[in-house]
């Protein structure tokens, strides 16, 4: 019997923006997509909230690449809110074969 379901990462669309923010409990994130899914959000297991933002940005980039199955290039900028960073996905690599 043939499988008709697409891999989950084929349904996400292309990532467009990311948001990263520090809470007392740790780093939280949101990844925004084109297409039907819209947003993926959650908490980063590492690094701790006391770590520097560049470590959390790297961890978020790895997380986003992991669940999109694509290499991403993100341009980061500080937000007008303290402990918030936003990023624009400047380049999203090709999807792997299904």
């Amino acid at each position: 019997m043939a499988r008709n379901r697409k891999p989950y990462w084929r349904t996400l669309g292309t990532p467009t923006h990311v948001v990263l923010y520090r809470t007392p409990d740790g780093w939280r994130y949101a990844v925004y997509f084109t297409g039907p899914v819209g947003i993926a959000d959650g908490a980063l297991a590492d690094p701790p909230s006391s770590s520097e933002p560049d470590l959390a940005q790297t961890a978020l980039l790895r997380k986003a690449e992991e669940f999109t199955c694509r290499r991403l290039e993100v341009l980061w900028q500080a937000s007008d809110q303290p402990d918030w960073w936003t990023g624009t996905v400047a380049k999203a690599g090709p999807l792997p074969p299904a």
Side-chain angles (χ1 to χ4, degrees):
M1 185 167 170
R3 269 180 63 165
N4 292 331
R5 290 183 49 181
K6 292 181 182 179
Y8 76 90
W9 42 266
R10 286 260 183 218
T11 63
L12 291 176
T14 301
T16 59
H17 291 85
V18 294
V19 175
L20 176 68
Y21 58 100
R22 187 189 328 240
T23 68
D25 298 328
W27 292 95
R28 302 215 30 105
Y29 68 88
V31 179
Y32 294 85
F33 296 92
T34 61
V37 172
I39 302 170
D41 63 348
L44 295 174
D46 283 318
S49 65
S50 60
S51 65
E52 293 297 317
D54 60 332
L55 292 175
Q57 290 169 352
T58 301
L60 174 53
L61 180 59
R62 279 194 309 255
K63 179 95 169 160
E65 288 177 342
E66 182 181 298
F67 60 68
T68 61
C69 294
R70 300 169 93 165
R71 301 287 296 163
L72 303 175
E73 183 180 313
V74 175
L75 303 175
W76 291 98
Q77 59 257 359
S79 173
D80 57 352
Q81 298 180 21
D83 290 333
W84 282 67
W85 292 264
T86 58
T88 302
V89 177
K91 185 176 180 184
L95 286 168

